Amino acid sequence: MFHLINLNSHSDTSGRLIVLEEPNSLPFLVRRNYFISNTNTIEPRGFHAHKSQKQIIIALNGSVDITLDDGKNKETIVLNDPTKAIYIEGIVWREMKNFNNCILSVLCDSLYCEDDYIRDYNEFIKITNKK
Ligand code: T46
């Protein structure tokens, strides 16, 4: 399951402040935050799903196309506004392409664990079709 969350933002002449707080705009308590930067437009990233990790993805700067696939429906979201966060929960394949000056912040409910990754698309389809 995935959907967009609108974040509260407060702007004035001095700038903009954007808020995430649990449980209002943040559906879980954060145990890890990482940033993806220094990307280039031609090299895509991702190509995996998670077995149980919950995530919020925000483009702090620039834009990126994120394709999300739950095994039945596939959607590409252009993430180019830091007041819009993608929430991903459950087994969802993700591909990130067309990075343009992008800095991504990813908030997670769990620590890094390679065992939580499904990196083979055929295995992902087998698992999601069983559900
Ligand atoms: C995801 C998308 C949106 C760590 O050592 N610790 C970490 O917390 C993470 C996330 C990664 N790594 C290491 C593992 C790899 O050697 O960093 C390297 C790059 O990771 P990966 O190739 O998985 O990066 P992306 O951009 O394809 O995917 C990342 C996240 O891994 C993934 O959970 O959903 O961003």
Side-chain angles (χ1 to χ4, degrees), residues 32 34 36 45-46 48 50 55 94 96 112 117 119:
R32 181 165 54 109
Y34 58 88
I36 299 176
R45 301 183 66 98
H48 61 259
H50 283 285
Q55 289 182 337
R94 79 271 332 254
M96 300 174 280
Y112 175 71
Y117 285 72
R119 292 193 184 271

Side-chain angles (χ1 to χ4, degrees), residues 22-38:
E22 192 275 340
N24 302 327
S25 49
L26 193 53
F28 54 81
L29 287 172
V30 176
R31 294 201 69 202
R32 181 165 54 109
N33 183 198
Y34 58 88
F35 303 91
I36 299 176
S37 62
N38 296 63

Side-chain angles (χ1 to χ4, degrees), residues 38-62:
N38 296 63
T39 51
N40 67 57
T41 48
I42 49 171
E43 284 189 65
R45 301 183 66 98
F47 300 91
H48 61 259
H50 283 285
K51 293 173 189 164
S52 64
Q53 190 185 122
K54 295 176 185 167
Q55 289 182 337
I56 289 275
I57 306 180
I58 303 166
L60 298 179
N61 193 67

